[in-house]
Amino acid sequence: MLIEAILGNFFVLCYISEQQRYLFGFFLIVCLYLPQIDKRHQSKDSIFFRDGVRRIDFVLAYVDDLNKEWEKKLERRKEFERNLENAGLKLEREDKKESEDGKICFVKIHATWDVLITYAEVLNIKVPIKENDIPSTVENPLDCMLAPLRLPEKVMHPEPDYFTAPFSRDKQELYLINDESTFFSPSMRNRIVNYILTRCPYGTEEGKKKFGIKRLLNNGTYSAAYPLHDCQYWKKANDPNCENERYTLYMEWARFLRFYKEQPLDLIRKYYGEKIGIYFAWLGFYTEMLFLAAVVGLICFLYGLFTMDENMSSKEICDPAIGGEIIMCPLCDRDCEYWRLNTTCESSQYSHLFDNVATLFFAIFMGIWVTLFLEFWKRRQARLKYEWDLVDFEEEQQQLQLRPEYEAKCTHKKKNPVTQEMEPYLPITSQAVRFCISGTTVLFWVSLIIASMIAVIVYRLAVYAAFASLMENTQTLQPISGLLTPQLATSVTASCLNFVIIMILNFLYERIAIWITDMEIPRTHMEYENRLTMKMFLFQFVNYYSSCFYVAFFKGKFVGYPGAYTYMFNRWRNEECDPAGCLIELTTQLTIVMAGKQIWGNIQEAIVPWICNWWGRRKARNNPENLYSRWEQDHDLQTFGALGLFYEYLEMVIQFGFITLFVASFPLAPLLALMNNILEIRVDSWKLTTQYRRPVAAKAHSIGVWQEILNGMAILSVVTNAFIVAFTSDMIPRLVYYYTASENEDSPMSGYINNSLSVFQISDFPDRNKPKLNPENFVICRYRDYRYPPDHEKKYLHSMQFWHILAAKLAFIIIMEHVVFIVKFFVAWMIPDVPADVKAKIKREKYLTQKILYEYEFEKLKERLCQGGKQTTEEEFITTEGRMELSRAM
């Protein structure tokens, strides 16, 4: 009204026309109100409420559609949000008309100071009380050489180091609270809000109390719940109050061009929480340790490459006067023909790349390397526990990790003998039934894997004859017949088929494992993760490694001999190893499965989320950037679920098995793993920073049950590599020949090939095995074994040399295992799990923290004594002073 009166007087004085008055009025209104509209629009790409002061700690999203359950979902949301507000949280709603697609509604959540300090005490969150005055460690003299690998100090250490203590509402003066809005980091804030969300009730259904955001997400009441990233990853936010940590992480960590730089672990921990920080710390340390193994493996491979021409076995096989004159028995019944040994010349040469003296050295080296890796990681983990205030985290785990699902599903109550409080529990009978169902399901799926492996073996046996016949009768394949033998062709195709089956079974079993773990109703989050981990790892272990175990320890070991071959299901003849040994086939199998898994894993992790996000944001690209709100931008990203890290660990542990369990057959495996992990770190960081919503911060003081799995695989790797060297490679038979049967002093290994092949008289072939054709009228053929010739009284029985070699193999396994285990345990004993300086710092910090707390209590009691003067206060005063004296003495 005041504006209208002023304008009226102005128009009268100026004698302007009515049309001019309307135009002038419209112009004035636009000038007055447009800045407010622009300000509102600009604030949409923000992490604050509309007032620009209160921070958005969490966002709930839902689709407001009129389906048959619309009313029920609406009631749940109203009740849930009402209870959130009763808990002290502040909510701000965004109508679907304000969203980019006009369908999704958003509820923004802010935790007030009272809520934060209340739940910080409940969650036992540690906060700073004094800046750390313990001197840092002495600088490394090699730091100047490592300068190109370093990141800026403000990136590596985004905030000072403090002495910390668990938060208490009654001692707020003790803590370094400079600004209430920034005292709790965003990761702490979203962790507190998530704790409230997972325990907030929303009503009663079917006579049971319902609560928790997880249930509301599962039944479709809400479509998403997530904390916000602090800015866009490719540029800094316009708001000066924004930390821009996401932008810093992307520029300094998530880009592949920074692959040679160290990781900003403190910033990762600050932004994502300790659990994700521990994962990247472990992955980075594992990659660093792989560098040594990769270098040694490459040297062993180069040794085999440079000595290839000196290998007497391949020389004799390739020599037309030796290998060209040795006629080998057919590789399959009836359809296969006799063949000359020199047709495997190229494969025998390539086999020497991996089957040489360096194989033994590398197997022993990797047994020791595994121990060094695990022991040094314990030390690194202990240092992180101190630096990240996780030393006393075990007690927190026991108190805070009770799963809401457990509380909801367990209707029985019993008194806790420790706390003397009533708490839910699952009866023993119910646990037993659930475990039986779970165990039976896991056993069924493991049996399914074994059945699929047997099917692949049957495939190998069935197609082997076809490959052998095809390569012998097809002229176009003759140029490569020396390189692509029937054994190798069968092995390659079977490995590819096995890899496809592995991927399909993985896809199916992942969902089954989660279902049966949910059915068991684990009590705590740690129990849930441990049970799921063991189920998934057991399945993956059998799934990925069964084919490698078959090639390494079973193929070619139960073949029989010409005229008395062994058959699978009395139909398919067991396949034989190449005359140069089975090691090259194990190498092929390992390479295909390992490399295929890594390539497929990177495609799944990087390309699939990028395509999904690109498709989800295709409409938003047509809108101005300031209208595409921060909560909508994050809503269009992929969800990094509670099991996101589980799959990352599983992928790396399976890779760890490949480079330890079968490394004697493929010295280049650590090099492949190193190159993959350099890429893996940047792929994981890129997708987490750019393609996924911000995960809810979670605490973890270690890699959990994965540590025990790695220890078990380290012990098993010693056994498997000893058996590979003994039974899969030709090293032991060559050594036995060198020391017991060699007759040429100038060339001790000459004659080894002839010695390792037994003689069979063709006339002894039964009709089932006898080839259809024998155009050159061969009388005898040779086969790989140590048996007496047909003119011996012990015709076709194992010779004494066979038993000598078997005894040598068993003796080698025992000696190698004991030597490696003794060295392993000695190294583990020599390296303490916690560095001495870390132990000293932990004790020093505990002492100083106790001293600060006692001095605070002492001052408070002095004030109370001056004011009250009561006897009780005097007793407290004396007690506190005594505790301070005891602390000083300690």
Side-chain angles (χ1 to χ4, degrees):
M1 295 297 291
L2 179 62
I3 293 175
E4 291 176 359
I6 294 172
L7 289 176
N9 294 331
F10 178 77
F11 294 151
V12 170
L13 291 174
C14 295
Y15 298 102
I16 60 176
S17 66
E18 186 176 355
Q19 184 178 4
Q20 289 174 326
R21 292 179 189 176
Y22 284 123
L23 290 175
F24 184 84
F26 177 78
F27 175 78
L28 185 60
I29 290 172
V30 169
C31 291
L32 288 172
Y33 292 101
L34 186 59
Q36 298 179 15
I37 297 171
D38 288 343
K39 183 178 180 181
R40 189 186 68 181
H41 284 174
Q42 289 170 358
S43 67
K44 295 199 74 173
D45 187 17
S46 171
I47 57 172
F48 295 94
F49 276 15
R50 296 189 189 99
D51 57 17
V53 177
R54 292 175 295 176
R55 186 186 187 95
I56 302 173
D57 297 312
F58 229 88
V59 174
L60 305 179
Y62 61 91
V63 178
D64 193 9
D65 54 348
L66 299 175
N67 56 22
K68 59 182 180 180
E69 294 187 351
W70 177 76
E71 291 185 0
K72 183 182 290 187
K73 292 179 180 178
L74 179 62
E75 288 301 319
R76 289 172 183 161
R77 283 195 294 268
K78 284 183 177 180
E79 181 68 19
F80 186 70
E81 292 171 16
R82 187 184 306 115
N83 290 329
L84 290 178
E85 290 177 324
N86 292 337
L89 298 177
K90 300 299 180 182
L91 308 184
E92 187 174 82
R93 295 167 178 82
E94 291 286 336
D95 191 76
K96 62 182 179 181
K97 297 176 182 178
E98 298 289 329
S99 65
E100 177 269 328
D101 61 359
K103 298 178 181 178
I104 302 176
C105 301
F106 295 93
V107 180
K108 297 173 288 184
I109 302 175
H110 168 76
T112 62
W113 174 252
D114 287 337
V115 170
L116 292 174
I117 61 176
T118 299
Y119 285 93
E121 187 170 10
V122 171
L123 295 174
N124 206 29
I125 291 177
K126 291 184 176 182
V127 294
I129 57 174
K130 181 183 178 182
E131 192 163 346
N132 192 338
D133 58 359
I134 299 177
S136 59
T137 55
V138 180
E139 292 187 3
N140 189 340
L142 299 178
D143 279 347
C144 57
M145 298 175 58
L146 300 176
L149 309 180
R150 303 294 187 196
L151 289 173
E153 182 65 20
K154 64 178 181 180
V155 177
M156 288 301 299
H157 305 289
E159 55 187 5
D161 189 18
Y162 294 101
F163 293 137
T164 60
F167 188 84
S168 174
R169 296 190 61 169
D170 300 331
K171 301 175 182 177
Q172 292 188 43
E173 303 89 348
L174 178 65
Y175 309 113
L176 301 179
I177 305 176
N178 298 321
D179 185 353
E180 291 183 356
S181 63
T182 59
F183 179 69
F184 292 103
S185 67
S187 60
M188 289 181 183
R189 297 175 70 100
N190 73 55
R191 182 180 164 216
I192 289 172
V193 175
N194 183 68
Y195 183 85
I196 298 171
L197 290 174
T198 54
R199 286 157 176 80
C200 182
Y202 61 85
T204 303
E205 296 178 8
E206 300 175 357
K208 294 182 180 180
K209 186 178 179 181
K210 302 291 183 179
F211 59 89
I213 188 63
K214 186 175 180 180
R215 282 176 174 269
L216 294 174
L217 291 171
N218 291 338
N219 60 33
T221 303
Y222 290 100
S223 60
Y226 53 93
L228 291 180
H229 284 293
D230 63 356
C231 66
Q232 294 172 331
Y233 68 86
W234 65 87
K235 69 174 185 178
K236 293 184 177 180
N238 296 324
D239 193 333
N241 295 322
C242 181
E243 296 89 349
N244 293 303
E245 291 174 348
R246 185 190 189 192
Y247 170 80
T248 304
L249 285 171
Y250 174 71
M251 297 301 294
E252 301 290 348
W253 176 54
R255 294 188 300 164
F256 181 74
L257 293 178
R258 313 291 283 180
F259 73 92
Y260 62 94
K261 293 285 188 179
E262 61 184 337
Q263 297 188 87
L265 294 177
D266 287 347
L267 184 58
I268 297 169
R269 173 243 182 172
K270 182 185 176 188
Y271 192 75
Y272 291 115
E274 287 81 1
K275 194 169 186 178
I276 290 178
I278 282 283
Y279 164 72
F280 280 104
W282 176 80
L283 180 57
F285 184 81
Y286 172 43
T287 304
E288 291 172 10
M289 290 294 292
L290 274 176
F291 182 78
L292 176 62
V295 170
V296 177
L298 181 61
I299 293 173
C300 293
F301 174 78
L302 293 177
Y303 171 82
L305 181 65
F306 293 145
T307 59
M308 187 185 296
D309 295 335
E310 303 173 8
N311 181 31
M312 183 57 66
S313 298
S314 59
K315 280 184 179 180
E316 291 186 345
I317 291 175
C318 298
D319 190 346
I322 302 177
E325 296 299 322
I326 296 178
I327 308 301
M328 301 296 294
C329 295
L331 297 171
C332 64
D333 295 336
R334 303 292 292 165
D335 295 325
C336 294
E337 299 179 354
Y338 301 98
W339 54 284
R340 298 182 185 275
L341 182 60
N342 65 347
T343 57
T344 62
C345 175
E346 285 85 353
S347 63
S348 67
Q349 290 177 330
Y350 292 128
S351 179
H352 178 72
L353 289 173
F354 309 106
D355 192 359
N356 53 66
V357 178
T359 300
L360 173 60
F361 165 77
F362 193 59
I364 296 174
F365 168 80
M366 286 302 293
I368 300 171
W369 175 88
V370 169
T371 304
L372 291 174
F373 163 64
L374 294 175
E375 292 302 316
F376 282 127
W377 166 246
K378 290 178 184 176
R379 292 170 62 84
R380 177 73 174 122
Q381 189 170 256
R383 192 175 296 278
L384 287 175
K385 284 175 68 174
Y386 165 72
E387 293 174 354
W388 292 356
D389 295 320
L390 299 169
V391 175
D392 300 320
F393 183 62
E394 288 81 0
E395 290 81 10
E396 289 184 55
Q397 285 279 14
Q398 299 301 321
Q399 296 171 8
L400 304 177
Q401 293 296 320
L402 197 66
R403 297 175 66 237
E405 294 84 355
Y406 181 85
E407 295 175 339
K409 294 180 181 179
C410 297
T411 56
H412 297 80
K413 301 277 185 179
K414 72 174 182 180
K415 183 179 289 188
N416 188 311
V418 178
T419 63
Q420 294 297 307
E421 294 179 357
M422 298 300 293
E423 63 178 24
Y425 84 103
L426 195 64
I428 297 295
T429 53
S430 179
Q431 290 185 40
V433 172
R434 293 171 188 274
F435 281 136
C436 288
I437 296 174
S438 174
T440 304
T441 306
V442 172
L443 186 62
F444 167 78
W445 278 89
V446 171
S447 303
L448 189 63
I449 299 172
I450 297 174
S452 68
M453 185 191 70
I454 294 174
V456 173
I457 294 173
V458 170
Y459 164 83
R460 299 173 75 112
L461 303 179
V463 303
Y464 181 80
F467 275 123
S469 177
L470 181 67
M471 291 180 179
E472 288 178 3
N473 300 324
T474 306
Q475 296 297 322
T476 56
L477 296 178
Q478 290 301 317
I480 61 170
S481 60
L483 178 62
L484 189 65
T485 60
Q487 292 99 326
L488 187 59
T490 303
S491 181
V492 170
T493 56
S495 299
C496 294
L497 177 62
N498 183 65
F499 175 72
V500 173
I501 294 174
I502 285 173
M503 292 295 104
I504 294 173
L505 290 177
N506 273 349
F507 177 79
L508 297 174
Y509 182 75
E510 282 179 6
R511 286 144 184 82
I512 299 297
I514 293 172
W515 175 75
I516 57 179
T517 307
D518 288 336
M519 182 198 64
E520 292 175 4
I521 318 180
R523 184 175 183 271
T524 66
H525 291 283
M526 181 176 285
E527 284 183 18
Y528 182 89
E529 290 186 6
N530 289 349
R531 291 184 188 182
L532 180 62
T533 297
M534 294 308 299
K535 291 181 184 66
M536 285 295 296
F537 177 75
L538 175 63
F539 177 85
Q540 299 269 20
F541 185 91
V542 179
N543 199 16
Y544 278 108
Y545 302 143
S546 57
S547 58
C548 293
F549 272 101
Y550 164 72
V551 175
F553 306 124
F554 296 98
K555 182 181 177 183
K557 307 299 186 295
F558 309 100
V559 177
Y561 63 93
Y565 289 116
T566 55
Y567 291 82
M568 176 176 281
F569 305 129
N570 202 32
R571 179 177 179 182
W572 292 286
R573 175 176 148 185
N574 288 350
E575 57 182 334
E576 303 176 36
C577 288
D578 191 274
C582 266
L583 200 68
I584 189 66
E585 294 187 47
L586 177 58
T587 303
T588 303
Q589 179 79 23
L590 184 66
T591 306
I592 290 175
V593 176
M594 179 180 174
K597 183 185 184 305
Q598 292 178 349
I599 293 170
W600 178 250
N602 286 324
I603 290 174
Q604 276 188 314
E605 291 182 12
I607 297 178
V608 173
W610 181 82
I611 292 175
C612 293
N613 288 336
W614 173 84
W615 182 257
R617 291 196 300 259
R618 66 193 186 282
K619 293 181 180 179
R621 291 194 297 270
N622 300 323
N623 294 333
E625 187 175 305
N626 62 342
L627 297 182
Y628 192 28
S629 64
R630 162 67 32 220
W631 45 92
E632 287 179 277
Q633 293 175 41
D634 285 10
H635 181 268
D636 290 340
L637 298 177
Q638 300 299 298
T639 303
F640 191 81
L643 298 177
L645 277 186
F646 167 80
Y647 293 114
E648 303 296 342
Y649 275 118
L650 184 62
E651 178 186 3
M652 287 296 102
V653 170
I654 293 297
Q655 182 205 82
F656 181 82
F658 280 125
I659 69 165
T660 54
L661 296 177
F662 307 102
V663 75
S665 67
F666 190 35
L668 292 180
L671 180 61
L672 290 181
L674 174 64
M675 293 188 294
N676 174 79
N677 286 8
I678 291 174
L679 180 63
E680 181 76 20
I681 290 174
R682 304 304 156 178
V683 168
D684 286 350
S685 59
W686 173 81
K687 73 178 184 181
L688 199 61
T689 307
T690 67
Q691 304 300 310
Y692 282 87
R693 298 171 187 161
R694 185 173 184 171
V696 177
K699 299 193 78 172
H701 69 290
S702 68
I703 61 174
V705 72
W706 298 109
Q707 182 79 36
E708 302 305 321
I709 291 175
L710 293 175
N711 288 332
M713 294 181 75
I715 294 173
L716 180 61
S717 68
V718 177
V719 180
T720 56
N721 283 301
F723 271 85
I724 287 173
V725 173
F727 285 97
T728 309
S729 78
D730 266 1
M731 181 175 296
I732 302 302
R734 285 198 295 261
L735 288 175
V736 171
Y737 177 81
Y738 180 88
Y739 287 107
T740 63
S742 177
E743 299 176 353
N744 189 337
E745 295 182 358
D746 297 330
S747 180
M749 292 307 297
S750 61
Y752 168 73
I753 291 299
N754 185 62
N755 177 266
S756 65
L757 299 175
S758 299
V759 179
F760 182 78
Q761 190 167 333
I762 292 176
S763 59
D764 292 336
F765 264 126
D767 292 336
R768 179 179 182 178
N769 306 130
K770 192 171 185 178
K772 296 177 182 178
L773 300 175
N774 185 8
E776 300 185 41
N777 296 318
F778 297 123
V779 177
I780 61 170
C781 65
R782 310 293 294 273
Y783 60 99
R784 184 182 171 86
D785 206 345
Y786 293 92
R787 294 179 182 270
Y788 289 112
D791 56 354
H792 196 276
E793 60 180 3
K794 297 182 180 180
K795 178 179 179 180
Y796 301 141
L797 295 179
H798 283 300
S799 64
M800 188 57 65
Q801 189 175 4
F802 169 84
W803 300 109
H804 288 166
I805 292 173
L806 180 61
K809 289 179 177 180
L810 297 176
F812 169 81
I813 291 172
I814 294 172
I815 294 172
M816 178 179 169
E817 285 183 357
H818 281 71
V819 169
V820 176
F821 278 133
I822 289 172
V823 174
K824 279 170 63 70
F825 292 134
F826 178 74
V827 169
W829 174 76
M830 286 288 293
I831 302 174
D833 291 347
V834 182
D837 65 314
V838 173
K839 285 183 179 179
K841 287 181 178 180
I842 291 173
K843 292 178 180 179
R844 172 69 177 165
E845 181 167 346
K846 282 186 175 181
Y847 161 72
L848 291 176
T849 303
Q850 287 178 352
K851 182 180 178 182
I852 293 170
L853 291 172
Y854 291 158
E855 287 177 351
Y856 172 81
E857 292 180 7
F858 187 69
E859 293 298 326
K860 285 290 183 184
L861 286 173
K862 283 172 65 177
E863 292 178 7
R864 290 171 57 189
L865 186 61
C866 294
Q867 295 173 1
K870 295 182 179 179
Q871 183 179 357
T872 307
T873 309
E874 290 179 356
E875 293 176 356
E876 292 177 3
F877 180 84
I878 295 170
T879 304
T880 303
E881 193 174 30
R883 282 190 293 179
M884 289 180 63
E885 291 296 331
L886 179 60
S887 178
R888 293 191 189 99
M890 291 171 62

